[in-house]
């Protein structure tokens, strides 16, 4: 069951909003400046019109001096034109600076994810937190996304209020003449205080009621998000290309339609929000609108009574009615902005919980010595590892030395820990127990980026970018074209490259270029191998490098393996034992432990060993020589 979000205190609300505002100021100062200047301008300039119009009316109703009237009218029109012009310019500036706020916010999250230790990405809490934040943002516009709008609303309300007050003060100070009979009551401080109190009460009530209505959305954000999530899946079912065949085969669209059209869903006519809208949300919103109208009525009565009694002229009536309405608008805006900021505070708290996730991996500072002879000795010493949140060991007491320049094969059944072993080797994770040493020193003590530079890995689930082929190989926009072509050739992609009309400049896939090429799984794997070669790191790791290749391409890679690897230390992972025979040494993994280690012949000779068993199990599929 979705939980109801708890409201934050005012001080927490201020802290959270200030922190969010500072993020925008630091990252996008021009956007903040343009938005705030626009607000200041649009909040204060209406008073120029109000003040000048009052002077014009007073002149018309009073001394009727034609020259002064002409001057006032021209001034009113001129200032209105100038204000409109500057407003348009400011708005243009704001639009160009503030464009894509949604992307800007997404960018903040994306940078955090890129900066995060790899291990954090595995934590379910991390994924859940980010998913909740994004659902709240996409569903209700909550979180960081709302901060700028709230700041603008707050700023606008305060300025409107101040401007309004400065033009309204004299309404209460200007006195009804003593000969006005009962109307002189309007001069009494008690009456004035009473009128102000009533107006403030009404002014407070309208936005408070409206905030109360809004709080039902915030408090039920989880149900709102769930409804949105269901709707985004069922409503867009037809867009899911990967489901298209199954949907047709089993007419799953009918099954989904039943969920999509359910009247009891969050947004259905019998759902939570329909009930809330018919009930409290509707009532509070209606009451808020009614109260606002009462305020305008009360303001008119008070101003007109004073004018009727002779406290001021006709021009002042328009000025006071307009400015008092502005004061009320300012107070309403202030209360509603503060209310919205408070409603948003618990969503911001989630955002900061995500942005503050610490990187738990120790960051060493030792530099990795640059060695031309690639003499880097890595050793696993009694290493055990559990994935975050898992209580079973994926690796157990693994001890192993990588002999420089040799080819090590890592074999074993699926789930035996081969990939985990490689991820620890590259320090994507740190061991739970034991240590990994580089030239005798714990790898945690080295500079992380420099240590990473020692490895070129082709992961099983590698990904290529829908960018140019050459950029994919070099992982850079500016690169050595000759070297890139050479690496592609070594990886067996030469023939394909020759056929590409734009060679290295051909886009992979068609996402960003209609002339892009779609590469098969096998071709993609060759490009990924070329990418690993281009990096030219002392260690090359190929995780199931031939899984997507056809038998001919696989044979081609094997025959070139020595060429490909050169003088690098190579680790070759496969569950196809026949493809590991050429390695100098083979480590057999089983249930997270290294159960055997030796050459192919040595391991096969041990008839009771795991290798022998695996070899013969696979021999029925492959006729080995
Ligand atoms: P292999 O590469 O030999 O197929 P893996 O190293 O991928 O095996 O997996 C070893 C064990 O660790 C398996 O039991 C697998 O389910 C588990 N495992 C792998 N990745 C994760 C992960 N990200 N979180 C939790 N468990 C994982």
């Amino acid at each position: 069951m979705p939980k109801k979000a708890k409201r934050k205190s005012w001080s927490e609300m201020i802290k959270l909003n200030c922190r969010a505002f500072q993020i925008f100021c630091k990252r996008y100062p021009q956007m903040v400046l343009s938005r705030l200047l626009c607000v200041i301008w649009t909040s204060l300039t209406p008073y120029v019109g109000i003040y000048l119009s009052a002077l014009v009316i007073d002149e018309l109703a009073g001394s009727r001096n034609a020259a002064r009237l002409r001057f006032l009218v021209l001034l009113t029109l001129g200032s209105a034109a100038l204000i409109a012009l500057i407003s348009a310019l400011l708005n243009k500036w704001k639009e160009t600076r503030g464009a894509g706020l949604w992307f800007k916010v997404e960018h903040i999250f994306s940078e955090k994810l890129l900066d995060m230790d790899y291990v954090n990405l595995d934590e379910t809490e991390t994924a859940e937190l980010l998913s909740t934040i994004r659902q709240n943002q996409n569903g209700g516009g909550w979180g960081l996304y709302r901060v700028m709008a709230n700041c603008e609303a707050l700023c606008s309300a305060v300025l409107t209020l101040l401007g309004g007050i400065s033009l309204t003060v004299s309404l209460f100070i200007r006195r009804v003449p003593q000969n006005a009979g009962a109307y002189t009551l309007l001069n009494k401080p008690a009456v004035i205080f009473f009128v102000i109190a009533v107006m403030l009460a009404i002014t407070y009530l309208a936005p408070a009621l409206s905030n109360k209505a809004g709080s039902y959305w915030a408090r039920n954000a989880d149900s709102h998000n769930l409804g949105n999530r269901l709707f985004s899946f069922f409503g867009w079912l037809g867009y899911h290309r990967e489901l298209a065949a199954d949907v047709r085969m089993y007419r799953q669209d009918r099954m989904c339609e039943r969920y999509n059209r359910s009247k009891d869903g969050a947004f259905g006519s019998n759902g939570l929000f329909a009930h809330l809208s018919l009930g409290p949300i509707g009532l509070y919103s209606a009451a808020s609108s009614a109260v606002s109208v009462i305020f305008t009525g009360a303001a008119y009565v008070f101003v007109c009574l004073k004018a009727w009694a002779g406290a001021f002229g006709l021009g002042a009536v328009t000025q006071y009615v307009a400015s008092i309405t502005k004061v009320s608008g300012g107070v309403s805006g202030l209360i509603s902005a503060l209310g919205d900021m408070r409603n948003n505070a618990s969503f911001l708290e989630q955002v900061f919980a995500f942005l503050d996730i610490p990187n738990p991996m120790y960051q060493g500072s030792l530099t990795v010595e640059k060695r031309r002879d690639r003499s880097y000795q890595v050793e696993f010493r009694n290493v055990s590892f559990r994935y975050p949140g898992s209580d079973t060991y994926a690796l157990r007491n693994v001890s192993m030395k990588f002999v420089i320049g040799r080819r090590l094969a890592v074999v074993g059944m699926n789930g035996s820990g081969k990939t985990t072993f490689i991820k620890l080797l590259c320090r994507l994770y740190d061991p739970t127990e034991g240590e990994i040493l580089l030239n005798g020193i714990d790898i945690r003590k080295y500079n992380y980026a420099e240590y990473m530079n020692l490895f070129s890995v082709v992961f099983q689930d590698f990904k290529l970018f829908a960018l140019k082929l050459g950029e994919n190989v070099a992982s850079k926009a500016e690169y050595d074209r000759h070297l890139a072509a050479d690496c592609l050739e070594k990886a067996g992609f030469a023939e394909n490259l020759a056929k590409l009309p734009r060679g290295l400049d051909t886009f992979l896939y068609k996402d960003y270029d209609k002339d892009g090429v779609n590469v098969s799984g096998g071709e993609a794997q060759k490009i990924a191998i070329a990418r690993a070669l281009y990096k030219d790191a002392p260690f090359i790791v190929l995780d199931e490098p031939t899984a997507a290749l056809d038998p001919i391409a696989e044979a081609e890679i094997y025959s070139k393996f020595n060429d490909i690897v050169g003088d690098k230390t190579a680790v070759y992972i496969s569950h196809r034992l026949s493809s590991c025979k050429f390695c100098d040494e083979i480590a057999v993994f089983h249930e997270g432990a290294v159960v055997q280690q030796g050459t192919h012949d040595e391991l096969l000779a041990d008839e009771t060993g795991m290798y022998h068993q695996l070899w013969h199990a696979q021999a029925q599929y492959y006729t080995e020589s």
Side-chain angles (χ1 to χ4, degrees):
M1 255 313 266
K3 295 186 302 287
K4 288 193 175 184
K6 248 175 73 194
R7 267 192 130 194
K8 295 276 130 205
S9 70
W10 287 104
S11 69
E12 284 173 309
M13 174 283 258
I14 293 169
K15 244 194 269 166
L16 288 161
N17 277 282
C18 283
R19 185 171 165 199
F21 184 67
Q22 275 166 6
I23 290 182
F24 285 110
C25 288
K26 213 160 139 198
R27 295 180 67 115
Y28 307 110
Q30 292 257 8
M31 177 191 78
V32 174
L33 189 66
S34 64
R35 291 181 78 140
L36 291 185
L37 274 184
C38 253
V39 164
I40 294 171
W41 187 254
T42 44
S43 310
L44 292 182
T45 47
Y47 295 106
V48 177
I50 293 175
Y51 180 72
L52 290 175
S53 314
L55 291 184
V56 170
I57 293 171
D58 267 344
E59 195 58 41
L60 272 173
S63 55
R64 298 170 67 93
N65 176 330
R68 188 172 147 75
L69 196 58
R70 197 176 314 119
F71 169 73
L72 282 174
V73 168
L74 285 178
L75 189 63
T76 310
L77 290 178
S79 61
L82 189 67
I83 286 169
L85 181 73
I86 295 176
S87 295
L89 290 175
L90 278 175
N91 265 316
K92 270 276 150 274
W93 180 40
K94 175 179 129 172
E95 274 165 26
T96 44
R97 287 292 152 196
L101 179 61
W102 192 83
F103 288 107
K104 288 185 165 90
V105 171
E106 286 293 313
H107 197 65
I108 294 172
F109 295 133
S110 169
E111 264 186 19
K112 172 66 189 176
L113 285 167
L114 286 173
D115 190 45
M116 229 179 225
D117 279 349
Y118 188 81
V119 61
N120 281 339
L121 301 177
D122 267 353
E123 302 274 3
T124 22
E125 295 96 76
T126 309
E128 273 173 16
L129 187 56
L130 183 60
S131 157
T132 312
I133 290 169
R134 300 191 66 226
Q135 282 168 40
N136 286 327
Q137 180 178 301
N138 298 341
W142 300 108
L144 274 186
Y145 187 70
R146 212 180 191 88
V147 168
M148 278 317 297
N150 278 343
C151 282
E152 282 174 315
L154 186 68
C155 193
S156 160
V158 170
L159 292 173
T160 305
L161 193 59
L162 292 179
I165 287 174
S166 67
L167 286 191
T168 310
V169 171
S170 57
L171 164 67
F172 298 99
I173 295 173
R174 288 167 92 168
R175 298 176 68 82
V176 168
Q178 286 309 325
N179 58 3
Y183 289 108
T184 51
L185 264 181
L186 294 172
N187 291 336
K188 293 221 179 300
V191 174
I192 293 174
F193 280 123
F194 176 73
V195 170
I196 293 177
V198 169
M199 286 190 168
L200 281 180
I202 300 176
T203 297
Y204 169 79
L205 207 55
L209 289 167
S210 160
N211 276 354
K212 182 84 188 151
S215 72
Y216 282 89
W217 290 95
R219 275 192 284 158
N220 292 288
D222 281 348
S223 308
H224 186 253
N225 290 338
L226 180 66
N228 255 342
R229 228 159 58 210
L230 291 172
F231 180 71
S232 346
F233 178 72
F234 294 126
W236 272 262
L237 187 68
Y239 287 77
H240 293 278
R241 173 73 184 83
E242 71 284 5
L243 298 179
D246 276 350
V247 166
R248 280 161 181 72
M249 184 62 62
Y250 301 106
R251 290 308 308 265
Q252 289 158 321
D253 50 324
R254 290 190 197 148
M255 167 187 79
C256 292
E257 196 64 357
R258 213 172 64 84
Y259 285 98
N260 198 20
R261 301 223 162 183
S262 161
K263 288 188 174 151
D264 299 326
F267 303 127
S269 53
N270 200 25
L272 174 68
F273 289 100
H275 280 291
L276 287 174
S277 296
L278 284 172
I281 292 183
L283 281 176
Y284 283 119
S285 300
S288 164
S289 305
V291 166
S292 303
V293 176
I294 295 175
F295 176 87
T296 316
Y300 264 102
V301 169
F302 183 68
V303 173
C304 290
L305 279 178
K306 277 194 100 164
W308 183 257
F312 38 75
L314 201 54
V317 171
T318 56
Q319 174 186 319
Y320 290 137
V321 169
S323 58
I324 207 168
T325 313
K326 285 271 180 202
V327 172
S328 141
V331 176
S332 303
L334 189 66
I335 293 165
S336 99
L338 290 174
D340 208 42
M341 286 167 107
R342 196 163 168 214
N343 284 339
N344 195 30
S346 50
F347 298 100
L348 283 178
E349 193 177 45
Q350 289 175 338
V351 168
F352 293 128
F354 174 76
L355 294 180
D356 291 341
I357 291 175
N359 278 342
M361 280 171 101
Y362 179 77
Q363 301 291 328
S365 55
L366 269 186
T367 42
V368 174
E369 193 191 349
K370 297 232 171 346
R371 301 185 65 117
R372 281 178 175 276
D373 59 0
R374 298 180 183 275
S375 188
Y376 297 103
Q377 174 90 55
V378 176
E379 181 185 353
F380 273 55
R381 205 178 273 173
N382 218 10
V383 168
S384 298
F385 178 71
R386 271 191 321 235
Y387 278 97
S390 165
D391 33 280
T392 53
Y393 279 90
L395 282 188
R396 218 177 251 285
N397 303 327
V398 173
S399 292
M400 189 177 309
K401 257 191 190 157
F402 292 83
V403 184
I404 297 162
R406 302 275 299 265
R407 286 99 179 81
L408 169 75
V410 175
V411 302
M413 293 195 289
N414 278 339
S416 57
K418 303 184 296 292
T419 302
T420 307
F421 172 67
I422 297 306
K423 288 188 169 163
L424 285 170
L425 173 66
C426 310
R427 218 189 153 202
L428 288 174
Y429 300 101
D430 279 337
T432 315
E433 288 146 35
E435 55 183 357
I436 304 170
L437 309 168
L438 169 69
N439 294 347
I441 297 173
D442 191 325
I443 59 171
R444 284 176 273 221
K445 298 195 174 139
Y446 288 100
N447 174 291
Y448 189 60
E450 285 186 22
Y451 180 77
M452 275 268 188
N453 270 340
L454 296 180
F455 299 92
S456 282
V457 187
V458 180
F459 289 109
Q460 233 175 81
D461 52 355
F462 68 89
K463 292 280 177 291
L464 299 177
F465 284 91
L467 298 174
K468 290 176 185 170
L469 170 63
E471 292 173 347
N472 266 289
V473 172
S475 301
K476 282 186 205 133
E478 303 290 327
Y479 60 93
D480 179 341
R481 296 177 72 88
H482 183 73
L483 181 60
D486 193 44
C487 293
L488 283 166
E489 189 191 335
K490 278 193 183 144
F493 198 78
E495 268 181 43
N496 308 63
L497 180 62
K499 283 188 209 142
L500 294 176
R502 284 158 65 193
L504 291 171
D505 294 323
T506 310
F507 272 82
L508 297 187
Y509 315 109
K510 296 187 180 290
D511 304 37
Y512 305 123
D513 185 25
K514 67 176 171 37
D515 297 324
V517 289
N518 283 321
V519 285
S520 70
E523 288 163 345
Q525 205 152 29
K526 288 177 181 177
I527 298 170
I529 292 175
R531 177 171 68 187
L533 293 178
Y534 189 98
K535 187 174 174 188
D536 196 26
F539 283 80
I540 183 159
V541 183
L542 305 173
D543 190 353
E544 302 276 2
T546 55
L549 300 185
D550 57 56
I552 297 173
E554 185 179 344
E556 190 191 340
I557 292 274
Y558 292 153
S559 67
K560 290 176 144 199
F561 195 74
N562 274 330
D563 239 13
I564 291 178
V565 167
D567 61 348
K568 302 175 179 68
T569 306
V571 186
Y572 186 88
I573 302 178
S574 183
H575 60 247
R576 231 182 284 179
L577 302 199
S578 59
S579 60
C580 301
K581 277 190 341 189
F582 63 89
C583 289
D584 304 312
E585 191 169 22
I586 300 170
V588 185
F589 273 69
H590 186 59
E591 293 177 352
V594 181
V595 290
Q596 274 184 297
Q597 210 169 336
T599 64
H600 169 72
D601 292 333
E602 285 165 10
L603 294 177
L604 201 57
D606 179 0
E607 292 187 8
T608 56
M610 186 81 200
Y611 190 82
H612 188 272
Q613 189 189 330
L614 287 171
W615 180 266
H616 285 285
Q618 291 185 2
Q620 46 184 310
Y621 302 110
Y622 296 101
T623 39
E624 74 282 1
S625 52

